Amino acid sequence: SPSPRSPESMDWHVYYPAFVVPQAQSTKESALTDVAPHRTISLSKEVTVADIGCGFGGLLVALAPKLPDELLLGMEIRTKVTEFVQDRIKALRNQNPGTSLYQNIACLRANSMKFLPNFFRKGQLSKIFLCFPDPHFKARKHKARIVSTTLNSEYAFIMKPGGIAYTITDVEDLHNWMTQHFEAHPSFERVGQDGQEEDLCVQTMMVETEEGKKVERNKGHKFVACFRRLEDPLWP
C-alpha cells in the first residue's frame, strides 16, 4: 500500500472500523469549526501506539486487551507477513463478536524507515516498539539499522513528551548500538531499571513476540532498554 502524502490524508477507518465517528456527528463538528468536511472518514480517537517492524503480530495481539483505550498499529515491510497479521486480526475480531476485543489493533505494510511522518503528526504517539530488529551485523550495513541518529529524530518528532520508546533484542552489540544512539539524542533519556521492570508493556514485550519465544526456546538472552521522550526546550 502506498504511503499517504500526509497524516491528514490517511484513511484510518479501513483499519479501525469500530471507531468510525457517525457521519452526521462528524459533519456537525465540521460546521461548528468552520472547516470544510475532510474527504477522509473521522475516527473517535487516533493511533497512539506503533509497533515498528511488527513481524507476525504477537505483541499487537497481546497488548490489545491490555491497552483497551489506545489504538495500536503494527507496521511491517514484508507483504506476506502484513497480510498474515491482517488476517489474524480479522479472525480474532470475528471470534469475539459483540465485543470491542481486537478492534483497537491493525497492521499495514510500510517502510517505516522512510515514511513515518507521512503517517503520524508531531507528538502523536505515546509508545513505539522496536522489537528484535534486524541486527545488520556488517559495518557497511549499519546504516540500515532501525535505530540511527536520523531515525531517532523522526521517532522524537512523532512522539509526545513523556512517551516511551521500547527496544528489545537478543544481540548484545545491537542493544549497545541502540542504547548509545538513543542516549546521545537530546530528545531522549533512558528509563531506569525499576521503572522498566514495573512496566506492563516491557513484561509483555519480553514474552509475547514470536522472536522472543524463539530466543526463549534457544535459551538466548534478551536485552531491553526503554527511553523517555523529553520535553522540547523552550526557545528564549
Side-chain angles (χ1 to χ4, degrees):
S1 52
S3 295
R5 286 189 307 280
S6 69
E8 293 72 36
S9 61
M10 181 67 196
D11 283 318
W12 290 113
H13 74 280
V14 179
Y15 298 95
Y16 304 98
F19 293 90
V20 169
V21 173
Q23 205 59 42
Q25 188 183 333
S26 108
T27 311
K28 194 160 77 181
E29 280 167 11
S30 300
L32 287 173
T33 54
D34 277 344
V35 175
H38 199 271
R39 64 171 188 82
T40 53
I41 295 168
S42 306
L43 294 189
S44 58
K45 51 178 67 183
E46 59 185 5
V47 174
T48 50
V49 179
D51 185 0
I52 296 172
C54 68
F56 292 93
L59 182 65
L60 281 176
V61 168
L63 286 177
K66 295 178 180 179
L67 300 174
D69 299 325
E70 313 258 11
L71 294 192
L72 294 77
L73 180 71
M75 307 180 87
E76 174 55 53
I77 198 166
R78 295 166 292 179
T79 305
K80 288 272 182 269
V81 178
T82 305
E83 288 168 358
F84 172 87
V85 180
Q86 289 171 340
D87 289 344
R88 184 179 183 182
I89 292 168
K90 195 173 176 181
L92 285 165
R93 288 175 178 175
N94 290 340
Q95 286 159 24
N96 293 276
T99 77
S100 58
L101 273 174
Y102 305 106
Q103 297 290 343
N104 62 330
I105 56 172
C107 175
L108 55 75
R109 184 181 173 277
N111 183 347
S112 39
M113 290 180 75
K114 287 187 178 173
F115 297 112
L116 276 178
N118 294 46
F119 289 94
F120 308 115
R121 61 172 178 75
K122 180 175 167 57
Q124 180 172 334
L125 301 184
S126 59
K127 302 179 197 301
I128 65 166
F129 291 89
L130 305 164
C131 299
F132 300 98
D134 189 328
H136 291 296
F137 286 109
K138 293 182 176 140
R140 66 186 171 78
K141 293 286 284 175
H142 283 179
K143 63 179 180 294
R145 285 179 166 175
I146 203 165
V147 166
S148 66
T149 308
T150 308
L151 282 170
N152 285 7
S153 291
E154 295 211 348
Y155 300 145
F157 178 82
I158 61 176
M159 289 177 73
K160 70 176 187 181
I164 305 287
Y166 297 81
T167 74
I168 185 169
T169 177
D170 57 328
V171 178
E172 190 169 13
D173 169 61
L174 180 61
H175 166 70
N176 293 335
W177 165 281
M178 292 195 290
T179 299
Q180 284 158 13
H181 279 76
F182 268 111
E183 285 186 332
H185 197 285
S187 294
F188 292 98
E189 67 175 5
R190 189 163 180 182
V191 175
Q193 196 64 33
D194 290 351
Q196 191 172 289
E197 284 171 6
E198 289 162 11
D199 192 320
L200 175 72
C201 291
V202 171
Q203 296 160 19
T204 309
M205 177 175 78
M206 288 284 286
V207 295
E208 293 291 355
T209 66
E210 284 76 12
E211 282 290 329
K213 288 173 181 171
K214 195 161 76 182
V215 173
E216 202 85 31
R217 286 195 298 273
N218 297 335
K219 304 200 167 19
H221 194 82
K222 297 175 198 168
F223 301 93
V224 173
C226 302
F227 304 90
R228 186 178 293 103
R229 170 70 164 93
L230 297 168
E231 294 279 350
D232 290 322
L234 294 169
W235 297 107

PDB file of all heavy atoms in Angstrom, residues 125-154:
ATOM      1  N   LEU A 125       2.339   9.991  19.090  1.00  0.00           N
ATOM      2  CA  LEU A 125       2.465   8.662  19.699  1.00  0.00           C
ATOM      3  C   LEU A 125       2.943   8.721  21.146  1.00  0.00           C
ATOM      4  O   LEU A 125       3.818   9.508  21.503  1.00  0.00           O
ATOM      5  CB  LEU A 125       3.440   7.799  18.887  1.00  0.00           C
ATOM      6  CG  LEU A 125       3.073   7.558  17.417  1.00  0.00           C
ATOM      7  CD1 LEU A 125       4.077   6.620  16.771  1.00  0.00           C
ATOM      8  CD2 LEU A 125       1.665   6.991  17.279  1.00  0.00           C
ATOM      9  N   SER A 126       2.362   7.840  21.970  1.00  0.00           N
ATOM     10  CA  SER A 126       2.807   7.742  23.364  1.00  0.00           C
ATOM     11  C   SER A 126       3.763   6.565  23.563  1.00  0.00           C
ATOM     12  O   SER A 126       4.506   6.521  24.533  1.00  0.00           O
ATOM     13  CB  SER A 126       1.609   7.590  24.301  1.00  0.00           C
ATOM     14  OG  SER A 126       0.874   6.426  23.967  1.00  0.00           O
ATOM     15  N   LYS A 127       3.733   5.597  22.622  1.00  0.00           N
ATOM     16  CA  LYS A 127       4.627   4.434  22.733  1.00  0.00           C
ATOM     17  C   LYS A 127       5.040   3.980  21.341  1.00  0.00           C
ATOM     18  O   LYS A 127       4.196   3.912  20.436  1.00  0.00           O
ATOM     19  CB  LYS A 127       3.940   3.241  23.412  1.00  0.00           C
ATOM     20  CG  LYS A 127       3.392   3.495  24.808  1.00  0.00           C
ATOM     21  CD  LYS A 127       2.705   2.239  25.357  1.00  0.00           C
ATOM     22  CE  LYS A 127       1.802   2.545  26.537  1.00  0.00           C
ATOM     23  NZ  LYS A 127       2.489   3.153  27.674  1.00  0.00           N
ATOM     24  N   ILE A 128       6.334   3.669  21.183  1.00  0.00           N
ATOM     25  CA  ILE A 128       6.766   2.942  19.985  1.00  0.00           C
ATOM     26  C   ILE A 128       7.583   1.735  20.432  1.00  0.00           C
ATOM     27  O   ILE A 128       8.296   1.783  21.449  1.00  0.00           O
ATOM     28  CB  ILE A 128       7.575   3.812  18.994  1.00  0.00           C
ATOM     29  CG1 ILE A 128       8.906   4.275  19.593  1.00  0.00           C
ATOM     30  CG2 ILE A 128       6.770   4.983  18.474  1.00  0.00           C
ATOM     31  CD1 ILE A 128       9.854   4.828  18.547  1.00  0.00           C
ATOM     32  N   PHE A 129       7.435   0.653  19.690  1.00  0.00           N
ATOM     33  CA  PHE A 129       8.146  -0.592  19.993  1.00  0.00           C
ATOM     34  C   PHE A 129       9.078  -0.942  18.846  1.00  0.00           C
ATOM     35  O   PHE A 129       8.680  -0.912  17.672  1.00  0.00           O
ATOM     36  CB  PHE A 129       7.144  -1.740  20.198  1.00  0.00           C
ATOM     37  CG  PHE A 129       6.326  -1.601  21.449  1.00  0.00           C
ATOM     38  CD1 PHE A 129       5.132  -0.899  21.438  1.00  0.00           C
ATOM     39  CD2 PHE A 129       6.769  -2.159  22.644  1.00  0.00           C
ATOM     40  CE1 PHE A 129       4.375  -0.746  22.598  1.00  0.00           C
ATOM     41  CE2 PHE A 129       6.024  -2.011  23.816  1.00  0.00           C
ATOM     42  CZ  PHE A 129       4.831  -1.304  23.787  1.00  0.00           C
ATOM     43  N   LEU A 130      10.323  -1.263  19.194  1.00  0.00           N
ATOM     44  CA  LEU A 130      11.319  -1.719  18.224  1.00  0.00           C
ATOM     45  C   LEU A 130      11.798  -3.081  18.735  1.00  0.00           C
ATOM     46  O   LEU A 130      12.727  -3.165  19.544  1.00  0.00           O
ATOM     47  CB  LEU A 130      12.474  -0.719  18.144  1.00  0.00           C
ATOM     48  CG  LEU A 130      12.072   0.733  17.831  1.00  0.00           C
ATOM     49  CD1 LEU A 130      13.208   1.692  18.149  1.00  0.00           C
ATOM     50  CD2 LEU A 130      11.657   0.879  16.373  1.00  0.00           C
ATOM     51  N   CYS A 131      11.103  -4.136  18.320  1.00  0.00           N
ATOM     52  CA  CYS A 131      11.337  -5.457  18.893  1.00  0.00           C
ATOM     53  C   CYS A 131      12.128  -6.359  17.941  1.00  0.00           C
ATOM     54  O   CYS A 131      11.687  -6.597  16.809  1.00  0.00           O
ATOM     55  CB  CYS A 131      10.004  -6.133  19.212  1.00  0.00           C
ATOM     56  SG  CYS A 131       9.023  -5.224  20.406  1.00  0.00           S
ATOM     57  N   PHE A 132      13.246  -6.823  18.408  1.00  0.00           N
ATOM     58  CA  PHE A 132      14.088  -7.756  17.656  1.00  0.00           C
ATOM     59  C   PHE A 132      14.306  -7.292  16.215  1.00  0.00           C
ATOM     60  O   PHE A 132      14.055  -8.026  15.266  1.00  0.00           O
ATOM     61  CB  PHE A 132      13.491  -9.177  17.693  1.00  0.00           C
ATOM     62  CG  PHE A 132      13.379  -9.715  19.089  1.00  0.00           C
ATOM     63  CD1 PHE A 132      12.179  -9.651  19.788  1.00  0.00           C
ATOM     64  CD2 PHE A 132      14.491 -10.265  19.728  1.00  0.00           C
ATOM     65  CE1 PHE A 132      12.079 -10.111  21.091  1.00  0.00           C
ATOM     66  CE2 PHE A 132      14.404 -10.732  21.044  1.00  0.00           C
ATOM     67  CZ  PHE A 132      13.199 -10.653  21.724  1.00  0.00           C
ATOM     68  N   PRO A 133      14.784  -6.043  16.045  1.00  0.00           N
ATOM     69  CA  PRO A 133      15.037  -5.580  14.680  1.00  0.00           C
ATOM     70  C   PRO A 133      16.212  -6.325  14.058  1.00  0.00           C
ATOM     71  O   PRO A 133      17.028  -6.933  14.759  1.00  0.00           O
ATOM     72  CB  PRO A 133      15.370  -4.101  14.854  1.00  0.00           C
ATOM     73  CG  PRO A 133      15.781  -3.945  16.275  1.00  0.00           C
ATOM     74  CD  PRO A 133      15.099  -5.024  17.051  1.00  0.00           C
ATOM     75  N   ASP A 134      16.274  -6.281  12.733  1.00  0.00           N
ATOM     76  CA  ASP A 134      17.376  -6.922  12.000  1.00  0.00           C
ATOM     77  C   ASP A 134      18.692  -6.314  12.483  1.00  0.00           C
ATOM     78  O   ASP A 134      18.868  -5.100  12.434  1.00  0.00           O
ATOM     79  CB  ASP A 134      17.178  -6.657  10.501  1.00  0.00           C
ATOM     80  CG  ASP A 134      18.144  -7.467   9.636  1.00  0.00           C
ATOM     81  OD1 ASP A 134      19.273  -7.726  10.094  1.00  0.00           O
ATOM     82  OD2 ASP A 134      17.764  -7.824   8.504  1.00  0.00           O
ATOM     83  N   PRO A 135      19.636  -7.161  12.957  1.00  0.00           N
ATOM     84  CA  PRO A 135      20.884  -6.594  13.505  1.00  0.00           C
ATOM     85  C   PRO A 135      21.823  -6.010  12.448  1.00  0.00           C
ATOM     86  O   PRO A 135      22.679  -5.204  12.781  1.00  0.00           O
ATOM     87  CB  PRO A 135      21.548  -7.784  14.218  1.00  0.00           C
ATOM     88  CG  PRO A 135      20.856  -9.005  13.740  1.00  0.00           C
ATOM     89  CD  PRO A 135      19.536  -8.614  13.170  1.00  0.00           C
ATOM     90  N   HIS A 136      21.697  -6.424  11.177  1.00  0.00           N
ATOM     91  CA  HIS A 136      22.615  -5.936  10.133  1.00  0.00           C
ATOM     92  C   HIS A 136      24.052  -5.917  10.663  1.00  0.00           C
ATOM     93  O   HIS A 136      24.640  -4.864  10.883  1.00  0.00           O
ATOM     94  CB  HIS A 136      22.200  -4.530   9.667  1.00  0.00           C
ATOM     95  CG  HIS A 136      20.913  -4.511   8.902  1.00  0.00           C
ATOM     96  ND1 HIS A 136      20.742  -5.145   7.685  1.00  0.00           N
ATOM     97  CD2 HIS A 136      19.709  -3.952   9.182  1.00  0.00           C
ATOM     98  CE1 HIS A 136      19.507  -4.970   7.246  1.00  0.00           C
ATOM     99  NE2 HIS A 136      18.851  -4.267   8.146  1.00  0.00           N
ATOM    100  N   PHE A 137      24.590  -7.099  10.835  1.00  0.00           N
ATOM    101  CA  PHE A 137      25.883  -7.246  11.520  1.00  0.00           C
ATOM    102  C   PHE A 137      27.033  -6.502  10.840  1.00  0.00           C
ATOM    103  O   PHE A 137      27.868  -5.911  11.492  1.00  0.00           O
ATOM    104  CB  PHE A 137      26.245  -8.733  11.638  1.00  0.00           C
ATOM    105  CG  PHE A 137      25.441  -9.460  12.675  1.00  0.00           C
ATOM    106  CD1 PHE A 137      24.478 -10.392  12.297  1.00  0.00           C
ATOM    107  CD2 PHE A 137      25.619  -9.209  14.024  1.00  0.00           C
ATOM    108  CE1 PHE A 137      23.717 -11.061  13.256  1.00  0.00           C
ATOM    109  CE2 PHE A 137      24.866  -9.868  14.989  1.00  0.00           C
ATOM    110  CZ  PHE A 137      23.920 -10.791  14.594  1.00  0.00           C
ATOM    111  N   LYS A 138      27.092  -6.553   9.517  1.00  0.00           N
ATOM    112  CA  LYS A 138      28.258  -5.968   8.829  1.00  0.00           C
ATOM    113  C   LYS A 138      28.254  -4.453   8.975  1.00  0.00           C
ATOM    114  O   LYS A 138      27.209  -3.799   8.837  1.00  0.00           O
ATOM    115  CB  LYS A 138      28.225  -6.344   7.344  1.00  0.00           C
ATOM    116  CG  LYS A 138      28.429  -7.845   7.123  1.00  0.00           C
ATOM    117  CD  LYS A 138      28.449  -8.195   5.652  1.00  0.00           C
ATOM    118  CE  LYS A 138      28.751  -9.679   5.502  1.00  0.00           C
ATOM    119  NZ  LYS A 138      27.958 -10.304   4.454  1.00  0.00           N
ATOM    120  N   ALA A 139      29.436  -3.891   9.208  1.00  0.00           N
ATOM    121  CA  ALA A 139      29.548  -2.439   9.450  1.00  0.00           C
ATOM    122  C   ALA A 139      28.944  -1.636   8.307  1.00  0.00           C
ATOM    123  O   ALA A 139      28.287  -0.620   8.531  1.00  0.00           O
ATOM    124  CB  ALA A 139      31.009  -2.061   9.654  1.00  0.00           C
ATOM    125  N   ARG A 140      29.131  -2.085   7.066  1.00  0.00           N
ATOM    126  CA  ARG A 140      28.606  -1.311   5.929  1.00  0.00           C
ATOM    127  C   ARG A 140      27.078  -1.323   5.899  1.00  0.00           C
ATOM    128  O   ARG A 140      26.453  -0.526   5.212  1.00  0.00           O
ATOM    129  CB  ARG A 140      29.189  -1.803   4.606  1.00  0.00           C
ATOM    130  CG  ARG A 140      28.788  -3.198   4.227  1.00  0.00           C
ATOM    131  CD  ARG A 140      29.502  -3.701   2.965  1.00  0.00           C
ATOM    132  NE  ARG A 140      29.255  -5.109   2.748  1.00  0.00           N
ATOM    133  CZ  ARG A 140      28.144  -5.614   2.245  1.00  0.00           C
ATOM    134  NH1 ARG A 140      27.139  -4.814   1.924  1.00  0.00           N
ATOM    135  NH2 ARG A 140      28.009  -6.915   2.059  1.00  0.00           N
ATOM    136  N   LYS A 141      26.467  -2.262   6.650  1.00  0.00           N
ATOM    137  CA  LYS A 141      25.001  -2.335   6.693  1.00  0.00           C
ATOM    138  C   LYS A 141      24.406  -1.607   7.903  1.00  0.00           C
ATOM    139  O   LYS A 141      23.201  -1.559   8.073  1.00  0.00           O
ATOM    140  CB  LYS A 141      24.542  -3.811   6.727  1.00  0.00           C
ATOM    141  CG  LYS A 141      24.828  -4.591   5.468  1.00  0.00           C
ATOM    142  CD  LYS A 141      23.874  -4.206   4.339  1.00  0.00           C
ATOM    143  CE  LYS A 141      22.510  -4.819   4.547  1.00  0.00           C
ATOM    144  NZ  LYS A 141      21.536  -4.367   3.531  1.00  0.00           N
ATOM    145  N   HIS A 142      25.280  -1.055   8.759  1.00  0.00           N
ATOM    146  CA  HIS A 142      24.779  -0.400   9.980  1.00  0.00           C
ATOM    147  C   HIS A 142      23.801   0.731   9.667  1.00  0.00           C
ATOM    148  O   HIS A 142      22.893   1.009  10.442  1.00  0.00           O
ATOM    149  CB  HIS A 142      25.937   0.125  10.833  1.00  0.00           C
ATOM    150  CG  HIS A 142      26.624  -0.977  11.594  1.00  0.00           C
ATOM    151  ND1 HIS A 142      27.713  -0.746  12.406  1.00  0.00           N
ATOM    152  CD2 HIS A 142      26.389  -2.315  11.655  1.00  0.00           C
ATOM    153  CE1 HIS A 142      28.106  -1.905  12.946  1.00  0.00           C
ATOM    154  NE2 HIS A 142      27.320  -2.859  12.492  1.00  0.00           N
ATOM    155  N   LYS A 143      23.982   1.367   8.498  1.00  0.00           N
ATOM    156  CA  LYS A 143      23.073   2.466   8.142  1.00  0.00           C
ATOM    157  C   LYS A 143      21.643   1.968   7.904  1.00  0.00           C
ATOM    158  O   LYS A 143      20.698   2.757   7.889  1.00  0.00           O
ATOM    159  CB  LYS A 143      23.593   3.231   6.926  1.00  0.00           C
ATOM    160  CG  LYS A 143      23.682   2.417   5.637  1.00  0.00           C
ATOM    161  CD  LYS A 143      24.200   3.302   4.502  1.00  0.00           C
ATOM    162  CE  LYS A 143      24.310   2.524   3.195  1.00  0.00           C
ATOM    163  NZ  LYS A 143      25.322   1.460   3.235  1.00  0.00           N
ATOM    164  N   ALA A 144      21.503   0.642   7.715  1.00  0.00           N
ATOM    165  CA  ALA A 144      20.158   0.072   7.516  1.00  0.00           C
ATOM    166  C   ALA A 144      19.482  -0.286   8.840  1.00  0.00           C
ATOM    167  O   ALA A 144      18.344  -0.753   8.853  1.00  0.00           O
ATOM    168  CB  ALA A 144      20.252  -1.164   6.627  1.00  0.00           C
ATOM    169  N   ARG A 145      20.187  -0.081   9.944  1.00  0.00           N
ATOM    170  CA  ARG A 145      19.574  -0.393  11.249  1.00  0.00           C
ATOM    171  C   ARG A 145      18.422   0.561  11.539  1.00  0.00           C
ATOM    172  O   ARG A 145      18.440   1.720  11.133  1.00  0.00           O
ATOM    173  CB  ARG A 145      20.634  -0.312  12.364  1.00  0.00           C
ATOM    174  CG  ARG A 145      21.575  -1.511  12.353  1.00  0.00           C
ATOM    175  CD  ARG A 145      22.634  -1.454  13.428  1.00  0.00           C
ATOM    176  NE  ARG A 145      23.275  -2.768  13.586  1.00  0.00           N
ATOM    177  CZ  ARG A 145      24.305  -3.004  14.388  1.00  0.00           C
ATOM    178  NH1 ARG A 145      24.814  -2.031  15.131  1.00  0.00           N
ATOM    179  NH2 ARG A 145      24.814  -4.221  14.479  1.00  0.00           N
ATOM    180  N   ILE A 146      17.456   0.041  12.293  1.00  0.00           N
ATOM    181  CA  ILE A 146      16.211   0.788  12.545  1.00  0.00           C
ATOM    182  C   ILE A 146      16.381   1.869  13.616  1.00  0.00           C
ATOM    183  O   ILE A 146      15.497   2.677  13.854  1.00  0.00           O
ATOM    184  CB  ILE A 146      15.085  -0.210  12.915  1.00  0.00           C
ATOM    185  CG1 ILE A 146      13.721   0.397  12.629  1.00  0.00           C
ATOM    186  CG2 ILE A 146      15.211  -0.697  14.337  1.00  0.00           C
ATOM    187  CD1 ILE A 146      12.607  -0.619  12.617  1.00  0.00           C
ATOM    188  N   VAL A 147      17.561   1.880  14.240  1.00  0.00           N
ATOM    189  CA  VAL A 147      17.900   2.960  15.176  1.00  0.00           C
ATOM    190  C   VAL A 147      19.148   3.655  14.645  1.00  0.00           C
ATOM    191  O   VAL A 147      20.151   3.013  14.372  1.00  0.00           O
ATOM    192  CB  VAL A 147      18.155   2.406  16.591  1.00  0.00           C
ATOM    193  CG1 VAL A 147      18.833   3.446  17.468  1.00  0.00           C
ATOM    194  CG2 VAL A 147      16.841   1.964  17.224  1.00  0.00           C
ATOM    195  N   SER A 148      19.055   4.960  14.456  1.00  0.00           N
ATOM    196  CA  SER A 148      20.183   5.756  13.978  1.00  0.00           C
ATOM    197  C   SER A 148      19.923   7.193  14.401  1.00  0.00           C
ATOM    198  O   SER A 148      18.825   7.525  14.846  1.00  0.00           O
ATOM    199  CB  SER A 148      20.289   5.682  12.450  1.00  0.00           C
ATOM    200  OG  SER A 148      19.157   6.305  11.863  1.00  0.00           O
ATOM    201  N   THR A 149      20.916   8.040  14.234  1.00  0.00           N
ATOM    202  CA  THR A 149      20.740   9.450  14.611  1.00  0.00           C
ATOM    203  C   THR A 149      19.557  10.059  13.866  1.00  0.00           C
ATOM    204  O   THR A 149      18.705  10.735  14.439  1.00  0.00           O
ATOM    205  CB  THR A 149      22.031  10.239  14.295  1.00  0.00           C
ATOM    206  OG1 THR A 149      23.129   9.543  14.905  1.00  0.00           O
ATOM    207  CG2 THR A 149      21.962  11.656  14.830  1.00  0.00           C
ATOM    208  N   THR A 150      19.487   9.797  12.557  1.00  0.00           N
ATOM    209  CA  THR A 150      18.412  10.371  11.732  1.00  0.00           C
ATOM    210  C   THR A 150      17.052   9.824  12.132  1.00  0.00           C
ATOM    211  O   THR A 150      16.094  10.572  12.322  1.00  0.00           O
ATOM    212  CB  THR A 150      18.661  10.030  10.245  1.00  0.00           C
ATOM    213  OG1 THR A 150      19.986  10.417   9.910  1.00  0.00           O
ATOM    214  CG2 THR A 150      17.689  10.742   9.338  1.00  0.00           C
ATOM    215  N   LEU A 151      16.957   8.487  12.247  1.00  0.00           N
ATOM    216  CA  LEU A 151      15.659   7.882  12.589  1.00  0.00           C
ATOM    217  C   LEU A 151      15.219   8.268  13.992  1.00  0.00           C
ATOM    218  O   LEU A 151      14.027   8.462  14.239  1.00  0.00           O
ATOM    219  CB  LEU A 151      15.733   6.363  12.449  1.00  0.00           C
ATOM    220  CG  LEU A 151      15.653   5.856  10.999  1.00  0.00           C
ATOM    221  CD1 LEU A 151      15.969   4.375  10.930  1.00  0.00           C
ATOM    222  CD2 LEU A 151      14.281   6.117  10.396  1.00  0.00           C
ATOM    223  N   ASN A 152      16.158   8.408  14.913  1.00  0.00           N
ATOM    224  CA  ASN A 152      15.777   8.811  16.273  1.00  0.00           C
ATOM    225  C   ASN A 152      15.152  10.206  16.283  1.00  0.00           C
ATOM    226  O   ASN A 152      14.270  10.492  17.090  1.00  0.00           O
ATOM    227  CB  ASN A 152      16.984   8.752  17.221  1.00  0.00           C
ATOM    228  CG  ASN A 152      17.341   7.317  17.584  1.00  0.00           C
ATOM    229  OD1 ASN A 152      16.771   6.377  17.035  1.00  0.00           O
ATOM    230  ND2 ASN A 152      18.280   7.137  18.491  1.00  0.00           N
ATOM    231  N   SER A 153      15.574  11.059  15.363  1.00  0.00           N
ATOM    232  CA  SER A 153      14.949  12.379  15.249  1.00  0.00           C
ATOM    233  C   SER A 153      13.522  12.244  14.729  1.00  0.00           C
ATOM    234  O   SER A 153      12.642  13.019  15.118  1.00  0.00           O
ATOM    235  CB  SER A 153      15.769  13.281  14.320  1.00  0.00           C
ATOM    236  OG  SER A 153      16.991  13.601  14.951  1.00  0.00           O
ATOM    237  N   GLU A 154      13.285  11.264  13.851  1.00  0.00           N
ATOM    238  CA  GLU A 154      11.917  11.021  13.373  1.00  0.00           C
ATOM    239  C   GLU A 154      11.053  10.453  14.500  1.00  0.00           C
ATOM    240  O   GLU A 154       9.894  10.845  14.656  1.00  0.00           O
ATOM    241  CB  GLU A 154      11.930  10.061  12.170  1.00  0.00           C
ATOM    242  CG  GLU A 154      12.615  10.667  10.971  1.00  0.00           C
ATOM    243  CD  GLU A 154      12.061  10.178   9.653  1.00  0.00           C
ATOM    244  OE1 GLU A 154      11.293   9.201   9.629  1.00  0.00           O
ATOM    245  OE2 GLU A 154      12.405  10.796   8.632  1.00  0.00           O
TER     246      GLU A 154
END
